[in-house]
């Protein structure tokens, strides 16, 4: 399946004490941490395009621009939805949203770049 705008994926997680703001050092509150919400959005973005990539290529995150709109307590489920919005060469732009059991808790955009995995890893060594 070739890459095309509209590709989408959804990823879910449960809010636990380990992924709260208090646990990740992003504040002392026992609610779903913003960095964890962003990670969920990035994961959904990556998963959305995996079917369109050959085995030599992966995507890496390069830009995140999101708002965390509402707090989610421990015990609730959170899901992130990513939709490929734009393809500009190797640059992929996603619309991302996150929801808990009650409401939308986050929204924004996320960019990823397609890279050849072996070359990317080789560049780390130089």
């Amino acid at each position: 399946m070739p890459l095309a705008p509209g590709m989408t994926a959804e990823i879910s997680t449960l809010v636990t004490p380990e992924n709260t703001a208090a646990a990740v050092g992003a504040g002392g509150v026992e609610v779903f941490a913003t960095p964890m919400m962003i990670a969920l959005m990035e994961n959904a973005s990556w998963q959305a395009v995996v079917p369109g990539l050959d085995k030599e290529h992966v995507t890496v995150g390069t830009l995140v621009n999101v708002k965390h709109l509402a707090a989610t307590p421990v015990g609730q489920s959170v899901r992130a939805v990513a939709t490929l919005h734009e393809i500009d060469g190797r640059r992929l732009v996603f619309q991302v949203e996150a929801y808990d059991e009650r409401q939308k808790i986050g929204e924004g955009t996320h960019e990823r770049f397609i890279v050849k995995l072996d070359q990317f890893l080789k560049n780390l060594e130089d």
Side-chain angles (χ1 to χ4, degrees), residues 18-20 24 32-41:
E18 294 77 23
N19 60 17
T20 63
V24 301
F32 194 51
T34 301
M36 301 308 286
M37 181 186 74
I38 291 168
L40 202 62
M41 291 171 161

Side-chain angles (χ1 to χ4, degrees), residues 1-96:
M1 160 189 303
L3 292 178
M7 296 177 90
T8 189
E10 182 175 309
I11 304 293
S12 298
T13 194
L14 183 67
V15 181
T16 65
E18 294 77 23
N19 60 17
T20 63
V24 301
V29 184
E30 293 286 332
V31 296
F32 194 51
T34 301
M36 301 308 286
M37 181 186 74
I38 291 168
L40 202 62
M41 291 171 161
E42 285 200 70
N43 191 331
S45 298
W46 169 65
Q47 290 292 334
V49 296
V50 164
L53 298 174
D54 62 41
K55 294 185 187 319
E56 296 178 343
H57 290 93
V58 296
T59 63
V60 294
T62 57
L63 178 69
V64 177
N65 184 8
V66 299
K67 295 178 184 177
H68 198 161
L69 304 171
T72 304
V74 171
Q76 281 202 16
S77 178
V78 174
R79 65 186 172 90
V81 180
T83 303
L84 181 57
H85 178 70
E86 178 185 347
I87 302 170
D88 180 16
R90 296 184 307 123
R91 184 175 69 98
L92 307 174
V93 181
F94 298 85
Q95 296 296 321
V96 291

Side-chain angles (χ1 to χ4, degrees), residues 55-60 90 113-126:
K55 294 185 187 319
E56 296 178 343
H57 290 93
V58 296
T59 63
V60 294
R90 296 184 307 123
F113 267 77
I114 300 169
V115 298
K116 192 170 181 181
L117 181 58
D118 62 350
Q119 186 63 46
F120 181 79
L121 295 175
K122 183 179 179 197
N123 290 342
L124 294 176
E125 297 171 2
D126 295 340

